[in-house]
Amino acid sequence: MKQLLPRDRLANQVRQSLRESPVTALLGARQTGKTTLARMIAENHKPVHFFDLEQVAGRRALSTPELTLGECRGLVVIDEVQRMPSLFEVLRPLCDRPGRPARFLLLGSASPDLVRGVSETLAGRILFVRVNGFTLDETGPGEQNRLWLRGGFPRAFLAGKGESAWRWLDSFAATFLERDVPQLGLRVPAEALRRFWIMSAHDHGQIWNAAELARSLGVATNTARYYLDILNGAFVLRVLSPWHENLKKRQVKSPKVYVRDSGMLHYLLGISSLSALRSHPRLGASWEGFALEQTLGLLGETNAYFWSTQRGAELDLLLLSGGKRYGFEFKCADAPSMTRSIHVALSDLGLEKIFVIYPGKDRYVLHEKVIALPLKELPMLKLK
Ligand SMILES: Nc1ncnc2c1ncn2[C@@H]1O[C@H](COP(=O)(O)OP(=O)(O)O)[C@@H](O)[C@H]1O
Ligand SMILES: [Mg+2]
């Protein structure tokens, strides 16, 4: 078997969650490494029960779930749990047994919003851990350009040659559209969804305009919203919500949409090498999305927003953490400098600090509260 890249930060998060909560759910797009991570964790648990709902045998084993799961002791892993949403009802009473004879680790590749009723059913009994593609602390800082170009899906990142990574992304996209989405019980023409996905790549990092997208696709506005819900719920697009501050300024209220994985973005835009990326008009947007995903992967993605006013002041990312507000700007430049927009964001939003994340080597101070930070140093950043 090929060597696995260790994912210690994620594994520790999962272990901690298993200690604290009767149910832990690992959520992330297909192929980000959820099953592999669960197997790594399971190695140190006894007894372990594994049910893979992707397999007929796994589904059959859970045909009488109350009985089967009720008898399990130790760690119970249920893979591709979105295939059987009725399980959540069954898990509820099992979580509330005295002495907690079993812990449940659920793996899913669709968000609870897409699979109806899940979040409510297990409210207060479940913790979520996001599993995205590789982050820089896992690949090592020396692999930054490879990670940027190919993205963080393990199979694309680790592929021997650039062409193999490309072929893998191509087949991932086809399988996703033709098999995974229909399997969620969603009826959408694969070709229309593919076109929507490609258009989203062209609009990567821009304010989302449902009406305009719908017009170019020749569908109703609600259909465009539905497509967005699907791709967001399956974790291939990211919808970043706008922050609204109580100011006498008009602020943007629509979300921004990103293709989550930078390799997938490049595949959809037809960018197959670093040199093609460097001369592409979407270079800056690609960096922004890549650095954004890395930041959210490393620092957590709850309480993340962007901010933008009608008059052009902007902040790429606002993170609320420990009662404080931190700003992030993502700049694909050799030596980013202070801008008016950064000044405005600092004073309007009352930010603790702004980090300007860029591809260079050196950290330097731009202002009392503003630091230019190489992406490579992000894994060491602690917000406090
Ligand atoms: N940490 C890792 N190091 C190397 N390869 C990995 C790692 N995690 C996953 N992979 C590979 O990526 C592919 C998808 O992983 P898998 O765990 O099946 O993803 P998921 O369960 O999220 O769909 C598999 O071929 C797997 O071997
Ligand atoms: Mg899996």
Side-chain angles (χ1 to χ4, degrees), residues 110-135:
S111 95
D113 309 329
L114 213 56
V115 184
R116 237 173 308 128
V118 174
S119 7
E120 306 91 77
T121 317
L122 288 175
R125 299 167 179 84
I126 187 165
L127 289 177
F128 295 97
V129 176
R130 311 281 160 172
V131 182
N132 298 320
F134 287 143
T135 37

Side-chain angles (χ1 to χ4, degrees), residues 262-329:
S262 55
M264 186 50 72
L265 173 75
H266 298 149
Y267 162 77
L268 293 168
L269 293 177
I271 300 171
S272 60
S273 68
L274 269 180
S275 57
L277 174 59
R278 291 225 162 83
S279 59
H280 198 277
R282 305 300 285 139
L283 172 70
S286 165
W287 173 260
E288 184 183 320
F290 172 57
L292 169 75
E293 282 307 308
Q294 292 294 310
T295 306
L296 296 177
L298 290 161
L299 299 176
E301 58 184 60
T302 41
N303 297 319
Y305 305 88
F306 76 96
W307 180 71
S308 176
T309 68
Q310 304 282 3
R311 298 192 55 188
E314 285 205 308
L315 184 67
D316 290 339
L317 175 66
L318 168 66
L319 272 187
L320 311 182
S321 173
K324 297 196 170 134
R325 296 170 166 195
Y326 299 88
F328 292 83
E329 281 284 293

Side-chain angles (χ1 to χ4, degrees), residues 13-25 74-75 94-96 100 102-106 122-129:
Q13 250 174 290
V14 178
R15 288 192 188 102
Q16 183 174 355
S17 170
L18 284 172
R19 281 193 297 271
E20 291 173 0
S21 171
V23 186
T24 298
L75 180 67
L94 296 181
C95 293
D96 299 339
R100 286 194 184 154
R103 304 264 147 169
F104 297 92
L105 181 58
L106 313 179
L122 288 175
R125 299 167 179 84
I126 187 165
L127 289 177
F128 295 97
V129 176

Side-chain angles (χ1 to χ4, degrees), residues 3-16:
Q3 201 68 30
L4 292 178
L5 230 58
R7 307 188 85 175
D8 297 342
R9 183 175 40 79
L10 269 180
N12 287 335
Q13 250 174 290
V14 178
R15 288 192 188 102
Q16 183 174 355

Side-chain angles (χ1 to χ4, degrees), residues 4-5 7 30-36 134 154-155 158:
L4 292 178
L5 230 58
R7 307 188 85 175
R30 292 247 172 199
Q31 297 285 333
T32 53
K34 298 177 295 297
T35 304
T36 307
F134 287 143
R155 296 283 301 275
L158 294 170

